[in-house]
Amino acid sequence: MDERKARGSRWSRMRAAALALCLFAAPAAADMTLKAAAATSARYSGAALDPDLFDEQPYVRLAREQFSAVTPENAMKWAVVEPMRGVFDWRAADKLVAFAQANGQKIRGHNLVWYMQLPDWLTSGTFTPTELRQLMVDHVTLEASRYKGSIYAWDVVNETFAEDGAWRHDMWLQAMGPDYVEIALRAARAADPGAKLYINDYNIESAGPKMRALYDLVASLKRKGAPIDGVGFESHFVAGKAPDDMREVMQAFANLGVDVAVTELDLRVKTPPDAKALDAQAADYAKVIGACVAVKQCVGVSTWGVTDAHSWIPFFFAGYGAALPFDENYQPKPAFFAAIDAFTRAERR
Ligand code: XIL
């Protein structure tokens, strides 16, 4: 065989091998789940779930098959678990925990201290600062103890800062000043020493006053030896506007000695979306997941819901919706495939 023929047959062997690889890889990709894709980079893929939907089979199937972590979208919030003072309703939260345990999923507890979805008896009552501190500590202690050992990570404190980086003037700040964060974290640690304790917020995914305020808070908590283990980046974005510096911002927080996670990802589009909007959305799913897998301390990515049929977006952002990787008929969107791709192919650390 002359030189040219030999080279030619080497090429055709390589082409055949490449083709075989494609044929082999293509069906695997179609069968791939978010959970399996995330696992290739030792991350979890998570979703916020609503236990009221557990009798909808297609919902349950996706929730079970696609995710290795779950967050109660509302079921563990104070207004739900203690609607009247001293009257507790753990049914939805227990259902979520049982579901996750049956499916071997991590649970992100959400949330213990926030300024929203508080029960009326608490917001309309008149309490002294000392009483409010006690109420907060008792609530954190009770809820974190109830699920002790079951929770992978708690969003202990949610949304502490205003957009300009000032402390949010909510009842907790008014009662205790900024110390409420450390008080809540210490109560959570005492109640469930095995849970990772997070502060969770939005509009901190890009450098700016709010991000810097949280950065300074985490740095000062670390200096004081307060129990802070992680920062949650909610990541409620408009498709096409996911920040370019998210990786750098997450890395900066991680360098303080905490884990980071994308906790409530959705990428809203104007409804009804066209193909171009769904492609832009897919590109941003890849961008955000790519940022997480490029940061060693980024433990996983959770979407805020499973499908476009049940997302909070249309109720809170007029004219927007279709923000999740599965559509209203539970079918995967371009965002789903982009997410798989980003988990499995991006630069990983
Ligand atoms: C939202 C839920 O999705 C809605 O169902 C509820 O009515 C309001 O809260 N940041 C958070 C979440 O930390 O708890 C919020 O969830 C969305 C914004």
Side-chain angles (χ1 to χ4, degrees):
M1 205 186 287
D2 72 22
E3 169 74 11
R4 223 173 43 216
K5 257 201 198 140
R7 221 187 290 141
S9 77
R10 253 202 315 276
W11 272 114
S12 61
R13 269 204 307 277
M14 277 167 70
R15 261 208 312 273
L19 186 68
L21 209 75
C22 287
L23 289 174
F24 180 75
D31 288 348
M32 188 64 135
T33 61
L34 293 173
K35 167 163 83 177
T40 67
S41 68
R43 266 87 177 173
Y44 63 78
S45 77
L49 299 187
D50 175 359
D52 285 350
L53 301 172
F54 285 176
D55 47 13
E56 284 192 23
Q57 278 322 302
Y59 178 84
V60 167
R61 196 175 320 120
L62 286 181
R64 191 181 283 142
E65 289 174 1
Q66 297 291 334
F67 303 104
S68 37
V70 299
T71 307
E73 183 171 354
N74 291 297
M76 288 187 179
K77 291 172 181 174
W78 199 335
V80 175
V81 302
E82 193 182 6
M84 283 174 293
R85 191 167 183 186
V87 177
F88 297 96
D89 183 352
W90 302 106
R91 283 172 301 178
D94 287 355
K95 225 170 142 182
L96 186 287
V97 170
F99 181 90
Q101 288 175 341
N103 296 306
Q105 294 161 316
K106 285 183 178 7
I107 303 168
R108 295 199 79 263
H110 177 83
N111 58 54
L112 294 171
V113 179
W114 194 22
Y115 74 103
M116 280 176 72
Q117 290 180 279
L118 295 169
D120 288 344
W121 64 264
L122 180 61
T123 50
S124 57
T126 43
F127 300 105
T128 65
T130 317
E131 286 169 334
L132 277 176
R133 176 185 171 134
Q134 197 59 50
L135 282 164
M136 183 192 82
V137 167
D138 287 350
H139 170 69
V140 170
T141 305
L142 186 76
E143 184 155 2
S145 305
R146 181 180 178 86
Y147 297 110
K148 180 182 173 182
S150 307
I151 303 293
Y152 162 71
W154 265 113
D155 289 331
V156 178
V157 179
N158 209 38
E159 304 180 349
T160 43
F161 292 107
E163 293 311 300
D164 63 358
W167 283 86
R168 191 186 286 284
H169 275 277
D170 59 20
M171 61 193 293
W172 310 119
L173 188 86
Q174 281 163 32
M176 289 165 266
D179 285 351
Y180 84 85
V181 173
E182 186 177 350
I183 296 167
L185 288 166
R186 290 195 187 277
R189 180 68 99 227
D192 186 356
K196 302 259 186 207
L197 306 183
Y198 275 63
I199 300 178
N200 187 54
D201 214 329
Y202 65 97
N203 287 355
I204 54 158
E205 300 87 357
S206 186
K210 192 174 184 180
M211 170 262 155
R212 277 188 289 274
L214 183 58
Y215 180 90
D216 291 343
L217 172 63
V218 173
S220 92
L221 289 168
K222 275 280 171 197
R223 277 196 303 274
K224 287 192 236 176
I228 174 74
D229 304 311
V231 172
F233 294 77
E234 291 186 14
S235 309
H236 298 292
F237 300 128
V238 174
K241 293 190 180 166
D244 292 326
D245 58 345
M246 188 159 176
R247 171 185 172 171
E248 286 74 22
V249 168
M250 287 200 292
Q251 189 63 63
F253 276 91
N255 291 346
L256 293 172
V258 291
D259 285 349
V260 294
V262 176
T263 52
E264 305 185 9
L265 179 61
D266 48 29
L267 283 145
R268 58 188 182 270
V269 295
K270 287 218 169 81
T271 45
D274 56 18
K276 208 173 133 211
L278 293 181
D279 286 345
Q281 176 181 63
D284 269 0
Y285 266 94
K287 187 173 177 178
V288 174
I289 293 168
C292 175
V293 298
V295 175
K296 193 160 168 250
Q297 299 87 341
C298 186
V299 292
V301 177
S302 303
T303 53
W304 205 239
V306 177
T307 81
D308 293 339
H310 304 291
S311 157
W312 73 307
I313 292 294
F315 301 99
F316 286 80
F317 300 92
Y320 285 88
L324 291 165
F326 295 92
D327 71 16
E328 296 194 348
N329 301 313
Y330 305 93
Q331 297 306 306
K333 295 157 64 181
F336 168 83
F337 297 101
I340 298 274
D341 208 54
F343 272 130
T344 50
R345 280 177 218 197
E347 179 198 341
R348 279 187 230 159
R349 298 189 54 209

